[in-house]
Amino acid sequence: AEVTRQTQRYGEEADRLYAEGRIAEAARAWQRSLELDADQPAVRERLERARRVLENLERLRDGAGQP
C-alpha cells in the first residue's frame, strides 16, 4: 500500500512538472515511480514520451547555430 501511495505521488509530481515544461525533472520522477513498481504501462509511456521530447530539444539546440 505504501509503495502504491509513493508511486502515485511520483506520478502526480511528474505530471505537474511536465505540464510546467520541466521535462527532465518529470522524467526523473516517472523513473523513480517505475523503480518502485515496474508494472505501470501508462507511466512507462509518459517516460518514453518525455525522453523523446528531451532528445528532440537536444537536437534542436545542437543544430540551432548552423546555417
Side-chain angles (χ1 to χ4, degrees):
E2 178 56 32
V3 168
T4 300
R5 281 194 295 275
Q6 189 65 26
T7 58
Q8 185 174 4
R9 277 195 295 271
Y10 280 136
E12 290 170 355
E13 175 188 8
D15 290 343
R16 179 183 56 77
L17 290 166
Y18 190 88
E20 293 174 0
R22 296 163 63 184
I23 311 301
E25 293 171 81
R28 285 191 292 273
W30 282 317
Q31 182 63 49
R32 286 192 299 267
S33 181
L34 287 171
E35 288 168 2
L36 293 173
D37 178 6
D39 187 27
Q40 301 182 81
V43 171
R44 189 169 305 282
E45 289 173 17
R46 288 182 178 110
L47 175 58
E48 290 171 4
R49 181 182 64 215
R51 287 179 173 161
R52 283 192 305 273
V53 168
L54 290 170
E55 288 170 7
N56 289 337
L57 288 171
E58 188 65 29
R59 273 198 292 278
L60 287 170
R61 222 182 342 265
D62 289 347
Q66 299 178 14

